[in-house]
Amino acid sequence: MSTPIDISEEAGVRYLHFGSEWVQGAMRIRKPNALELAYTREMMAGLLLRDGLSEDAGEWPRRVLLIGLGAASLTRFIHHHLPQSRIQVVEIAPSVVAAARQFFRLPQEDARFSIHIGDGAQYVLEKNTRYDYILVDGFDRNARAGVLDTLPFYQAVRARLTDQGLMSVNLFGRSRGYKASLERILTAFDDRAIAFPSCDSGNVVAFGAAGDSLRRPIAELRERASLLKAATGLDLLPTVTRLEQAGSLPGGTLVL
């Protein structure tokens, strides 16, 4: 069954819908490389956790896997702001790719960016490539994630992460069962996972870490957020504040 595509615009922002009122992606037309929706900004919070922000680093992430293209917001941001990253997108619906090309300034495929049309879970299970950053944001028209929210899938994702690897996943549409989703992630990642406090849209973004351990005191998270904002315009300072206010950082340190 093909995915129904609707496009709307309001106040300078173009929105993607899959045949319903649910917003599946957005782009501010005058700032196409900015992340318009709060949850997409939080999905990039891995940049606060792994090294790659200093002037002489810029290394992380080298390889990025994006499951679910949507309005190509994360793809555009990474392609524009993280030139060291090689990007693989997996999108199940050709119509979504076509809409992203026509309406959402999808970058041209080249040596560092490619799109695979197919099932994201099957791709992760069958490919042996390892990634520094795997971002999971795949939903159907009813905001259901299906197999992308199962323990075997999360275990497969972990197996595809490098020693510096992180997974971020958008748990939108599972507000009632988000804790069950988080339990699956915690199980797959041996408790090395955290769910960020729900942002304004109701989305919950969760992270799972593989390989090297992470310890980021709140002061360091703030400093890194300031550096990231100066470098890319991405403002994650409100995210750091919500993490602190929600009691998500025992002892004032994020540990993964």
Side-chain angles (χ1 to χ4, degrees):
M1 185 178 70
S2 62
T3 300
I5 301 292
D6 295 314
I7 308 295
S8 64
E9 284 186 23
E10 184 177 349
V13 179
R14 184 172 294 160
Y15 297 96
L16 173 70
H17 311 266
F18 293 164
S20 73
E21 76 275 11
W22 295 110
V23 171
Q24 301 284 353
M27 178 184 75
R28 186 165 295 277
I29 295 168
R30 295 185 64 179
K31 295 182 178 180
N33 296 315
L35 293 172
E36 180 67 21
L37 300 179
Y39 89 87
T40 60
R41 296 194 289 271
E42 299 210 338
M43 288 189 74
M44 290 307 304
L47 295 173
L48 301 181
L49 305 179
R50 290 297 191 196
D51 289 325
L53 290 174
S54 63
E55 292 180 2
D56 59 349
E59 297 291 325
W60 191 94
R62 285 290 189 180
R63 286 187 176 271
V64 179
L65 174 63
L66 292 154
I67 297 178
L69 177 65
S73 301
L74 292 165
T75 301
R76 286 193 310 275
F77 179 88
I78 295 169
H79 191 269
H80 182 76
H81 289 293
L82 305 177
Q84 80 279 9
S85 299
R86 297 189 65 172
I87 307 162
Q88 175 68 62
V89 169
V90 180
E91 169 55 55
I92 199 168
S95 57
V96 172
V97 178
R101 287 199 177 106
Q102 183 175 355
F103 298 106
F104 295 100
R105 302 192 192 181
L106 180 67
Q108 291 292 322
E109 292 182 70
D110 55 25
R112 56 179 287 255
F113 170 51
S114 61
I115 299 171
H116 173 80
I117 303 293
D119 179 85
Q122 185 177 357
Y123 186 91
V124 170
L125 287 165
E126 293 180 355
K127 300 292 182 179
N128 291 320
T129 306
R130 297 177 77 203
Y131 297 90
D132 295 322
Y133 208 4
I134 298 179
L135 301 100
V136 183
D137 187 23
F139 297 97
D140 65 15
R141 61 185 297 182
N142 297 309
R144 292 178 302 203
V147 71
L148 298 180
D149 182 31
T150 62
L151 179 59
F153 172 71
Y154 292 132
Q155 290 170 326
V157 167
R158 185 186 179 186
R160 297 294 173 265
L161 290 172
T162 66
D163 288 342
Q164 291 285 305
L166 288 177
M167 174 193 74
S168 71
V169 56
N170 175 24
L171 300 180
F172 171 73
R174 288 167 260 170
S175 55
R176 290 183 182 177
Y178 116 79
K179 290 186 178 179
S181 300
L182 179 60
E183 285 300 320
R184 287 188 279 275
I185 295 169
L186 285 164
T187 299
F189 283 83
D190 291 333
D191 291 335
R192 294 186 61 196
I194 185 174
F196 283 16
S198 177
C199 51
D200 292 343
S201 60
N203 298 68
V204 173
V205 174
F207 283 83
D212 299 340
S213 61
L214 273 166
R215 293 184 66 87
R216 297 293 183 199
I218 189 74
E220 185 179 347
L221 288 173
R222 281 211 181 86
E223 180 183 0
R224 293 168 73 86
S226 296
L227 287 171
L228 183 62
K229 183 178 180 181
T232 68
L234 173 59
D235 186 5
L236 289 174
L237 287 164
T239 297
V240 175
T241 297
R242 284 192 299 107
L243 277 170
E244 186 178 28
Q245 291 176 342
S248 301
L249 307 178
T253 300
L254 192 154
V255 179
L256 276 180

